[in-house]
Amino acid sequence: MNRETKICASCGRVISWRKKWEDCWDEVKYCSAGCRKKKVSEVDVGLEAAILELLGKRASGATACPSEVAREFFGEDDWRGEMERVRSAARRLVDAGKVEILQKGKVVDASTAKGTIRLRKVQ
């Protein structure tokens, strides 16, 4: 039995093996019922593209705040309520090996990062 961890297809957080998944571990894609309902929408794919586009415009090694992406994508009035969606998109990009999440200039675990984060394109 391979008891590794996986990454949730929706929120990008780590899914740890559980005994109840012993017979169906290969089919587990989501960390919760909420993520299974939400899945990844066209908006979420657009957010991933917006993050990569913003970071692509920056100098090599430069970072960006997720709120910059949210403001640009959702508009100045509606961005605050969408921050978790932007963070989820960033976590999926971390899993894809395209982006790093930093706190205080150091790369941190995308699943457990709390508070202010910065995004940097993987070089």
Side-chain angles (χ1 to χ4, degrees):
M1 176 59 50
N2 190 0
R3 296 182 180 176
E4 79 275 1
T5 59
K6 295 181 176 187
I7 302 297
C8 177
S10 179
C11 71
R13 289 191 170 96
V14 172
I15 306 170
S16 297
W17 184 88
R18 297 180 190 165
K19 176 79 172 145
K20 70 179 185 176
W21 291 332
E22 189 169 27
D23 296 332
C24 62
W25 180 241
D26 292 336
E27 290 86 43
V28 173
K29 294 180 184 175
Y30 303 101
C31 65
S32 66
C35 282
R36 189 172 29 260
K37 280 184 193 175
K38 282 191 280 188
K39 299 194 171 141
V40 177
S41 70
E42 289 182 29
V43 172
D44 297 320
V45 173
L47 281 170
E48 291 175 16
I51 290 169
L52 293 174
E53 183 180 338
L54 178 66
L55 291 173
K57 293 177 183 175
R58 304 279 165 101
S60 180
T63 64
C65 182
S67 65
E68 293 176 65
V69 177
R71 283 186 179 108
E72 190 174 299
F73 196 85
F74 294 106
E76 284 295 324
D77 297 332
D78 301 324
W79 67 273
R80 289 185 198 282
E82 302 294 343
M83 282 302 297
E84 184 53 37
R85 205 169 191 180
V86 175
R87 290 173 71 107
S88 292
R91 286 191 295 266
R92 288 191 303 274
L93 289 171
V94 167
D95 183 49
K98 297 179 179 180
V99 169
E100 296 173 321
I101 292 181
L102 297 94
Q103 285 185 318
K104 297 182 181 178
K106 296 186 178 166
V107 176
V108 295
D109 180 11
S111 288
T112 58
K114 293 186 181 354
T116 304
I117 62 169
R118 301 284 297 178
L119 308 175
R120 178 174 66 195
K121 194 170 186 180
V122 172
Q123 302 178 29

XYZ file of all heavy atoms in Angstrom, residues 26-93:
523
model
N -6.279 5.555 -5.001
C -5.951 5.994 -6.364
C -6.999 6.930 -6.952
O -6.697 7.740 -7.819
C -5.781 4.786 -7.288
C -4.545 3.970 -6.929
O -3.619 4.533 -6.317
O -4.528 2.769 -7.257
N -8.245 6.844 -6.484
C -9.321 7.685 -7.004
C -9.491 8.999 -6.241
O -10.238 9.871 -6.676
C -10.660 6.928 -6.964
C -10.744 5.791 -7.978
C -10.150 4.492 -7.455
O -10.416 4.163 -6.283
O -9.415 3.834 -8.191
N -8.839 9.158 -5.098
C -8.992 10.366 -4.283
C -8.337 11.545 -5.005
O -7.157 11.497 -5.345
C -8.368 10.174 -2.877
C -8.381 11.482 -2.099
C -9.093 9.086 -2.123
N -9.125 12.609 -5.252
C -8.628 13.802 -5.939
C -8.833 15.071 -5.128
O -8.190 16.074 -5.377
C -9.343 13.974 -7.278
C -9.048 12.896 -8.274
C -9.790 13.159 -9.564
C -9.580 12.020 -10.534
N -10.365 12.167 -11.738
N -9.796 15.034 -4.191
C -10.169 16.239 -3.458
C -10.019 16.015 -1.962
O -10.252 14.912 -1.461
C -11.613 16.640 -3.795
C -11.818 16.851 -5.271
C -12.424 15.882 -6.062
C -11.375 18.008 -5.890
C -12.590 16.063 -7.424
C -11.535 18.200 -7.245
C -12.141 17.235 -8.011
O -12.299 17.417 -9.356
N -9.698 17.081 -1.236
C -9.468 16.974 0.204
C -10.755 16.993 1.014
O -10.762 16.586 2.172
C -8.529 18.076 0.678
S -9.193 19.750 0.519
N -11.839 17.478 0.421
C -13.086 17.606 1.167
C -14.279 17.589 0.218
O -14.123 17.712 -0.998
C -13.096 18.925 1.941
O -13.123 20.016 1.036
N -15.456 17.469 0.810
C -16.680 17.518 0.010
C -16.837 18.895 -0.640
O -17.311 19.004 -1.772
C -17.892 17.194 0.882
N -16.429 19.936 0.057
C -16.511 21.290 -0.495
C -15.664 21.446 -1.752
O -16.109 22.021 -2.746
N -14.447 20.913 -1.714
C -13.578 20.985 -2.889
C -14.113 20.112 -4.020
O -14.003 20.464 -5.187
C -12.157 20.576 -2.534
S -11.232 21.874 -1.686
N -14.702 18.992 -3.667
C -15.281 18.116 -4.691
C -16.436 18.825 -5.404
O -16.601 18.707 -6.611
C -15.750 16.800 -4.068
C -16.165 15.753 -5.072
C -16.463 14.375 -4.496
N -16.962 14.320 -3.142
C -16.223 14.040 -2.059
N -14.934 13.802 -2.176
N -16.756 14.006 -0.869
N -17.216 19.610 -4.671
C -18.327 20.363 -5.275
C -17.815 21.485 -6.176
O -18.339 21.725 -7.250
C -19.206 20.985 -4.196
C -20.184 20.054 -3.572
C -21.039 20.835 -2.591
C -21.826 19.925 -1.689
N -22.569 20.670 -0.675
N -16.806 22.218 -5.692
C -16.311 23.383 -6.422
C -15.541 23.014 -7.683
O -15.692 23.652 -8.703
C -15.404 24.230 -5.522
C -16.139 25.084 -4.549
C -15.222 26.062 -3.887
C -14.451 25.392 -2.788
N -13.673 26.288 -1.982
N -14.657 22.049 -7.569
C -13.763 21.665 -8.659
C -13.004 22.886 -9.169
O -12.941 23.909 -8.513
C -14.518 20.943 -9.747
C -15.159 19.673 -9.232
C -15.610 18.774 -10.310
C -16.007 17.488 -9.641
N -17.124 16.829 -10.107
N -12.413 22.804 -10.324
C -11.665 23.922 -10.896
C -12.470 24.470 -12.066
O -12.715 23.776 -13.044
C -10.263 23.480 -11.359
C -9.535 24.631 -12.023
C -9.455 22.949 -10.183
N -12.878 25.725 -11.947
C -13.714 26.351 -12.984
C -12.848 27.099 -13.994
O -11.631 27.218 -13.843
C -14.688 27.328 -12.328
O -13.975 28.447 -11.828
N -13.500 27.635 -15.006
C -12.804 28.455 -15.995
C -12.210 29.702 -15.345
O -11.144 30.162 -15.745
C -13.759 28.856 -17.117
C -14.146 27.714 -18.026
C -15.057 28.152 -19.157
O -14.986 29.318 -19.585
O -15.844 27.304 -19.611
N -12.887 30.238 -14.346
C -12.371 31.404 -13.611
C -11.067 31.030 -12.909
O -10.097 31.794 -12.943
C -13.408 31.927 -12.597
C -12.814 32.997 -11.712
C -14.630 32.471 -13.322
N -11.034 29.844 -12.306
C -9.820 29.403 -11.609
C -8.656 29.221 -12.585
O -7.520 29.598 -12.287
C -10.094 28.100 -10.859
C -11.140 28.272 -9.777
O -11.116 29.310 -9.084
O -11.989 27.375 -9.622
N -8.933 28.667 -13.742
C -7.897 28.527 -14.779
C -7.439 29.912 -15.237
O -6.241 30.136 -15.448
C -8.429 27.681 -15.965
C -7.444 27.677 -17.124
C -8.727 26.253 -15.509
N -8.371 30.843 -15.348
C -8.026 32.213 -15.709
C -7.143 32.881 -14.662
O -6.236 33.644 -15.002
N -7.411 32.581 -13.396
C -6.571 33.123 -12.316
C -5.142 32.599 -12.415
O -4.183 33.347 -12.214
C -7.154 32.774 -10.948
C -8.311 33.638 -10.484
C -8.953 33.036 -9.241
C -7.840 35.053 -10.205
N -5.006 31.319 -12.703
C -3.665 30.745 -12.861
C -2.925 31.462 -13.989
O -1.757 31.832 -13.841
C -3.752 29.249 -13.153
C -4.250 28.438 -11.978
C -4.450 26.976 -12.315
O -3.928 26.499 -13.348
O -5.143 26.290 -11.538
N -3.615 31.687 -15.103
C -3.007 32.398 -16.231
C -2.656 33.838 -15.851
O -1.595 34.346 -16.241
C -3.954 32.375 -17.429
N -3.525 34.482 -15.077
C -3.271 35.866 -14.651
C -2.045 35.944 -13.744
O -1.253 36.884 -13.843
C -4.497 36.432 -13.944
N -1.883 34.961 -12.869
C -0.698 34.932 -11.998
C 0.558 34.793 -12.842
O 1.529 35.545 -12.666
C -0.806 33.773 -10.975
C -1.888 34.063 -9.954
C 0.547 33.545 -10.288
C -2.247 32.870 -9.058
N 0.548 33.847 -13.773
C 1.725 33.639 -14.617
C 2.019 34.843 -15.496
O 3.175 35.212 -15.700
C 1.544 32.381 -15.466
C 1.511 31.064 -14.691
C 1.178 29.913 -15.618
C 2.819 30.822 -13.966
N 0.964 35.489 -15.997
C 1.144 36.686 -16.830
C 1.763 37.826 -16.023
O 2.702 38.488 -16.479
C -0.191 37.121 -17.411
C -0.092 38.308 -18.334
C -1.442 38.735 -18.899
O -2.371 37.908 -18.933
O -1.551 39.908 -19.288
N 1.242 38.060 -14.815
C 1.782 39.129 -13.965
C 3.241 38.860 -13.622
O 4.083 39.749 -13.726
C 0.955 39.256 -12.684
C 1.432 40.306 -11.690
C 1.279 41.705 -12.276
C 0.658 40.195 -10.392
N 3.556 37.625 -13.246
C 4.935 37.293 -12.899
C 5.846 37.334 -14.125
O 7.030 37.646 -14.012
C 4.998 35.922 -12.228
C 4.374 35.856 -10.840
C 4.335 34.422 -10.335
C 5.117 36.752 -9.855
N 5.290 37.032 -15.289
C 6.065 37.097 -16.526
C 6.485 38.507 -16.889
O 7.489 38.710 -17.577
N 5.719 39.486 -16.441
C 6.036 40.893 -16.710
C 7.108 41.433 -15.766
O 7.651 42.504 -16.005
C 4.781 41.751 -16.565
C 3.737 41.484 -17.615
C 2.495 42.327 -17.345
C 1.391 42.031 -18.331
N 0.153 42.772 -17.997
N 7.356 40.703 -14.674
C 8.329 41.152 -13.677
C 9.729 40.685 -14.041
O 9.912 39.724 -14.778
C 7.972 40.588 -12.289
C 6.583 40.921 -11.807
C 6.550 42.327 -11.233
N 5.217 42.836 -11.061
C 4.562 42.889 -9.912
N 5.098 42.406 -8.814
N 3.359 43.423 -9.861
N 10.715 41.344 -13.458
C 12.104 40.935 -13.638
C 12.301 39.535 -13.063
O 11.553 39.106 -12.177
C 13.027 41.929 -12.937
N 13.278 38.853 -13.546
C 13.572 37.503 -13.058
C 13.813 37.529 -11.554
O 14.597 38.344 -11.053
C 14.811 36.964 -13.768
O 15.103 35.678 -13.316
N 13.106 36.678 -10.822
C 13.256 36.612 -9.377
C 12.377 37.570 -8.602
O 12.313 37.514 -7.376
N 11.672 38.465 -9.302
C 10.791 39.423 -8.631
C 9.529 38.711 -8.156
O 9.141 37.673 -8.685
C 10.432 40.560 -9.570
N 8.892 39.279 -7.137
C 7.696 38.674 -6.570
C 6.470 39.550 -6.809
O 6.596 40.708 -7.201
C 7.860 38.453 -5.050
O 7.996 39.724 -4.405
C 9.057 37.568 -4.737
N 5.315 38.961 -6.530
C 4.056 39.702 -6.628
C 3.170 39.279 -5.469
O 3.257 38.155 -4.978
C 3.362 39.412 -7.950
N 2.318 40.185 -5.049
C 1.352 39.888 -3.996
C 0.093 39.314 -4.649
O -0.338 39.804 -5.696
C 1.009 41.167 -3.244
S -0.139 40.887 -1.881
N -0.496 38.277 -4.057
C -1.738 37.736 -4.619
C -2.844 38.785 -4.761
O -3.684 38.683 -5.657
C -2.139 36.655 -3.610
C -0.875 36.268 -2.944
C -0.048 37.512 -2.907
N -2.825 39.812 -3.911
C -3.856 40.845 -4.008
C -3.739 41.639 -5.307
O -4.736 42.146 -5.813
C -3.812 41.780 -2.805
O -2.603 42.514 -2.792
N -2.533 41.735 -5.871
C -2.372 42.405 -7.160
C -3.140 41.649 -8.242
O -3.802 42.257 -9.084
C -0.893 42.468 -7.552
C -0.040 43.345 -6.667
C 1.418 43.259 -7.076
O 1.737 43.704 -8.209
O 2.230 42.743 -6.290
N -3.032 40.334 -8.207
C -3.750 39.501 -9.172
C -5.255 39.655 -8.971
O -6.007 39.829 -9.928
C -3.345 38.020 -9.029
C -4.148 37.139 -9.976
C -1.854 37.844 -9.253
N -5.696 39.613 -7.721
C -7.126 39.712 -7.414
C -7.690 41.056 -7.871
O -8.772 41.108 -8.458
C -7.351 39.527 -5.917
N -6.956 42.138 -7.620
C -7.421 43.473 -8.037
C -7.547 43.567 -9.550
O -8.513 44.105 -10.074
C -6.457 44.545 -7.536
C -6.595 44.870 -6.092
C -5.685 46.047 -5.738
N -5.822 46.374 -4.358
C -4.905 46.131 -3.432
N -3.764 45.560 -3.760
N -5.112 46.456 -2.176
N -6.544 43.039 -10.237
C -6.543 43.112 -11.691
C -7.639 42.220 -12.292
O -8.298 42.598 -13.244
C -5.168 42.674 -12.208
C -4.954 42.925 -13.672
C -3.532 42.593 -14.078
O -2.599 43.218 -13.547
O -3.377 41.702 -14.936
N -7.827 41.050 -11.719
C -8.753 40.071 -12.289
C -10.207 40.367 -11.936
O -11.082 40.246 -12.788
C -8.362 38.671 -11.798
C -8.966 37.551 -12.583
C -8.361 37.104 -13.749
C -10.129 36.940 -12.175
C -8.908 36.067 -14.486
C -10.693 35.902 -12.900
C -10.075 35.467 -14.062
N -10.469 40.741 -10.677
C -11.851 40.919 -10.215
C -12.289 42.376 -10.121
O -13.458 42.658 -9.935
C -12.049 40.261 -8.844
C -11.907 38.771 -8.884
C -10.793 38.156 -8.372
C -12.894 37.980 -9.453
C -10.654 36.771 -8.413
C -12.770 36.602 -9.500
C -11.639 35.993 -8.980
N -11.355 43.306 -10.212
C -11.693 44.721 -10.113
C -11.487 45.250 -8.707
O -11.458 44.500 -7.733
N -11.340 46.544 -8.617
C -11.025 47.198 -7.342
C -12.099 47.020 -6.269
O -11.807 47.081 -5.090
C -10.766 48.690 -7.567
C -9.420 48.997 -8.164
C -8.249 48.630 -7.258
O -8.346 48.772 -6.024
O -7.229 48.186 -7.802
N -13.343 46.806 -6.662
C -14.423 46.723 -5.677
C -14.669 45.310 -5.153
O -15.173 45.139 -4.048
C -15.727 47.268 -6.272
C -15.619 48.745 -6.625
O -14.829 49.455 -5.972
O -16.312 49.171 -7.561
N -14.347 44.300 -5.928
C -14.739 42.934 -5.580
C -13.598 41.995 -5.214
O -13.834 40.820 -4.966
C -15.506 42.317 -6.762
C -16.731 43.108 -7.111
O -17.382 43.643 -6.200
O -17.030 43.209 -8.320
N -12.368 42.442 -5.173
C -11.221 41.554 -5.055
C -11.060 40.902 -3.690
O -10.592 39.774 -3.587
C -9.940 42.282 -5.434
C -9.537 43.370 -4.488
C -9.934 44.661 -4.513
C -8.651 43.248 -3.385
N -9.360 45.368 -3.497
C -8.558 44.523 -2.782
C -7.921 42.201 -2.839
C -7.766 44.762 -1.670
C -7.125 42.434 -1.728
C -7.057 43.704 -1.150
N -11.419 41.568 -2.603
C -11.151 41.041 -1.259
C -11.803 39.681 -1.001
O -11.189 38.790 -0.425
C -11.606 42.025 -0.197
C -10.748 43.253 -0.123
C -11.172 44.142 1.051
N -10.672 45.483 0.929
C -9.433 45.853 1.206
N -8.559 44.981 1.602
N -9.061 47.117 1.083
N -13.018 39.498 -1.447
C -13.726 38.246 -1.229
C -13.200 37.094 -2.065
O -13.598 35.946 -1.859
N -12.302 37.376 -2.986
C -11.778 36.354 -3.894
C -10.339 35.950 -3.579
O -9.736 35.168 -4.311
C -11.853 36.857 -5.342
C -13.237 37.228 -5.789
C -14.181 36.034 -5.865
O -13.713 34.886 -5.884
O -15.403 36.265 -5.916
N -9.794 36.432 -2.471
C -8.397 36.157 -2.161
C -8.102 34.665 -1.969
O -7.065 34.180 -2.413
C -7.954 36.952 -0.920
C -7.674 38.395 -1.218
S -6.405 38.628 -2.487
C -4.987 37.895 -1.695
N -8.995 33.936 -1.326
C -8.735 32.500 -1.136
C -8.708 31.781 -2.481
O -7.941 30.844 -2.678
C -9.764 31.865 -0.207
C -9.482 30.401 0.098
C -8.071 30.114 0.627
O -7.526 30.918 1.398
O -7.505 29.060 0.256
N -9.507 32.234 -3.399
C -9.507 31.645 -4.740
C -8.169 31.884 -5.434
O -7.651 31.009 -6.130
C -10.645 32.278 -5.536
C -11.155 31.454 -6.631
C -12.437 32.043 -7.162
N -13.049 31.102 -8.056
C -14.170 31.313 -8.683
N -14.827 32.439 -8.496
N -14.658 30.410 -9.490
N -7.606 33.079 -5.253
C -6.301 33.401 -5.831
C -5.221 32.551 -5.166
O -4.342 32.004 -5.838
C -5.978 34.904 -5.692
C -4.577 35.213 -6.184
C -7.008 35.739 -6.432
N -5.288 32.412 -3.842
C -4.305 31.581 -3.131
C -4.394 30.120 -3.574
O -3.380 29.448 -3.719
C -4.495 31.713 -1.624
C -4.088 33.083 -1.089
C -4.445 33.255 0.374
N -3.614 32.467 1.240
C -2.653 32.952 2.024
N -2.412 34.235 2.028
N -1.953 32.166 2.794
N -5.613 29.630 -3.816
C -5.784 28.258 -4.307
C -5.151 28.098 -5.687
O -4.492 27.088 -5.961
C -7.268 27.891 -4.376
O -7.818 27.802 -3.089
N -5.346 29.079 -6.550
C -4.735 29.039 -7.887
C -3.207 29.010 -7.756
O -2.529 28.261 -8.467
C -5.183 30.237 -8.712
N -2.678 29.811 -6.833
C -1.233 29.829 -6.619
C -0.733 28.466 -6.117
O 0.308 27.980 -6.564
C -0.862 30.926 -5.625
N -1.494 27.842 -5.209
C -1.087 26.513 -4.714
C -1.092 25.478 -5.831
O -0.209 24.618 -5.889
C -1.993 26.077 -3.565
C -1.728 26.816 -2.265
C -2.454 26.186 -1.100
N -3.890 26.268 -1.216
C -4.639 27.239 -0.679
N -4.082 28.211 0.015
N -5.947 27.225 -0.820
N -2.064 25.552 -6.734
C -2.077 24.619 -7.867
C -0.861 24.855 -8.767
O -0.276 23.908 -9.293
C -3.376 24.762 -8.663
C -4.587 24.198 -7.941
C -5.804 24.114 -8.831
N -6.205 25.380 -9.419
C -7.006 26.269 -8.830
N -7.513 26.031 -7.626
N -7.320 27.394 -9.432
N -0.461 26.106 -8.923
C 0.724 26.411 -9.726
C 2.003 25.944 -9.040
O 2.957 25.540 -9.708
C 0.797 27.910 -10.026
C -0.245 28.419 -11.021
C -0.234 29.946 -11.080
C -0.014 27.827 -12.404
